[in-house]
Amino acid sequence: MNIEQAKKNLINTLDSIDRDKLSLPDLKLYAEILKTTSEIQTKSYTEFFSEAMSVASSNFGSYKAPAISEMK
């Protein structure tokens, strides 16, 4: 099982929980698990970094500084 599949399984499990029956501490734990799950990266750091750099470098050449009159 890879990270992406594990993340999908965890989200499916969280989705199947009846949140109306949870106590306040249980809802807090549910929210913490949901937050942690949303932060799971399916790409490695190097893949993420190289993708971000390619997007940044492709947009860098098309940047045009605004004129002073446009900033007013």
Side-chain angles (χ1 to χ4, degrees):
M1 178 184 324
N2 61 20
I3 297 295
E4 188 173 337
Q5 185 59 44
K7 183 177 177 179
K8 286 179 184 177
N9 290 345
L10 184 55
I11 290 172
N12 287 338
T13 301
L14 289 172
D15 192 40
S16 68
I17 294 173
D18 185 2
R19 291 171 296 282
D20 291 333
K21 294 182 181 178
L22 296 178
S23 66
L24 205 52
D26 291 337
L27 280 171
K28 182 179 185 287
L29 180 60
Y30 177 90
E32 289 172 358
I33 294 170
L34 189 59
K35 180 182 182 290
T36 302
T37 305
S38 72
E39 294 171 345
I40 294 173
Q41 298 294 323
T42 56
K43 294 180 182 179
S44 71
Y45 173 77
T46 53
E47 290 173 326
F48 179 78
F49 186 73
S50 64
E51 183 178 303
M53 290 305 294
S54 69
V55 168
S57 64
S58 67
N59 289 337
F60 182 71
S62 62
Y63 177 74
K64 180 184 171 206
I68 298 292
S69 61
E70 294 172 346
M71 296 171 61
K72 291 182 179 181

